[in-house]
Amino acid sequence: MHHEINLDKLDQLKKGDPENMLEALSGLPTQCQDAMQRARAVNISFAADFKNILVTGLGGSAIGGDFLRVYGYRKCTLPILVNRDYNLPSFVNEQTLVLAVSYSGNTEETLSAYEEAKLKKAPIVALTSGGQLAERAKKDGIPLILIPSGLQPRAATGYLFLPLLVVLEKLSLLSDIAAEIEETIAGLADLSKAISAQVPTENNPAKQLALRFYNKIPVIWGVVGTTETVAMRWKGQINENSKALAYFNVLPELNHNEIVGTEVPEKFLRELEVVFLRTEDDHPRVQKRFDITKEIIGERVGGISEVWGDGKNPLARMFALTYLGDCTSAYLALLYGIDPSPVKLITLLKNKLAELPEA
Ligand code: PA5
């Protein structure tokens, strides 16, 4: 099959990736260390008796909230919600911890939600690389975690997730996170070597997956409570890096609906490459569900790949799979001859909105 570039030719990879997405991805372990230091250095304390936690943000800045939500299933006694909107849900009040996250600091939905949180007297922490959000937080005396600018938000996941854990730890809403985080970063460092551009396709699972996705529609199936955010992330990364459509869903729910949708049209089904995201943290019955689902749909779709998240703890396993998806999507972009970094359609849409009068 013809590909625009050969993934094992480093000069071709470099030429196809002028804004260095692969390099940014390989820097994730270092970024995570820096993110922890930056967050730990900020003074955060509130007198509030918190009842719930809400992360507000969009796109690459919201996904850290989803990772936090899934992490919180096991570790946090308060409900954690993610808000991707201009407005806040009506339960938000002075007992809600609001984490306002925008990499650029200029996302209009997030700025609107931030203002609403202020009106509702919710304690707020801002996480951003600058922009309006940083300015407003400074002016309003709101704790501000500043992260470096110059990355694509989706290449700043360490910066956009780990500080949220630190904030919750500082407020005694999470405990004993340090060892898990250290193991996660060490696991990412090992994986970074295993799936880097220098490792040839025959030994590189990310390059192999990218080849399986090439000229197919990726369908990513994860598991609620373990890899649900990872599945969403794979889809988003294939959209933004590879500029291709992809879909995701989760077990066990998809066993109650989507699986039935694999009968027709046959022509389309043959174009699907289904990926199962698996970890040892999945419920034993869900493990069985994966096996049976594979038996049932195996002949109907173009292909099925199973990938396992390895790591010393659930967070490490969640991030190992996330990182594999990030690198796969960048390699897939390069196979198509597409620059993984720019997201011209998001920029175009934001510019068109900026020309309109405010509502
Ligand atoms: O990946 C992207 O560029 C987007 O999904 C952005 O993260 C999203 O548009 C929100 O922007 P920001 O992260 O700057 O708040």
Side-chain angles (χ1 to χ4, degrees), residues 77-117:
T77 53
L78 297 186
I80 302 174
L81 283 100
V82 182
N83 185 64
R84 292 176 159 86
D85 194 8
Y86 291 86
N87 299 114
L88 295 178
S90 58
F91 70 79
V92 173
N93 60 23
E94 62 281 357
Q95 292 183 305
T96 305
L97 172 65
V98 173
L99 303 163
V101 186
S102 168
Y103 184 72
S104 63
N106 291 324
T107 296
E108 62 177 41
E109 298 95 315
T110 313
L111 292 170
S112 159
Y114 170 90
E115 292 303 328
E116 197 173 319

Side-chain angles (χ1 to χ4, degrees), residues 228-268:
E228 59 181 86
T229 301
V230 187
M232 184 203 278
R233 168 78 174 184
W234 277 53
K235 174 216 179 294
Q237 290 292 75
I238 294 166
N239 296 154
E240 290 189 60
N241 287 341
S242 328
K243 282 64 171 179
L245 283 178
Y247 297 90
F248 83 98
N249 206 338
V250 288
L251 272 76
E253 176 66 17
L254 72 84
N255 278 170
H256 300 270
N257 36 60
E258 189 161 311
I259 190 171
V260 189
T262 57
E263 293 204 12
V264 285
E266 281 177 30
K267 181 169 158 269
F268 176 67

Side-chain angles (χ1 to χ4, degrees), residues 56-63 101-110 127-129 133 151-155 160 233 236-237 240-241 341-343 346-347 350:
T56 193
L58 275 295
S61 294
I63 196 103
V101 186
S102 168
Y103 184 72
S104 63
N106 291 324
T107 296
E108 62 177 41
E109 298 95 315
T110 313
L127 171 60
T128 181
S129 72
L133 185 59
L151 293 166
Q152 288 290 335
R154 62 193 184 281
L160 294 166
R233 168 78 174 184
Q237 290 292 75
E240 290 189 60
N241 287 341
S341 294
V343 277
I346 296 180
T347 311
K350 285 183 178 176

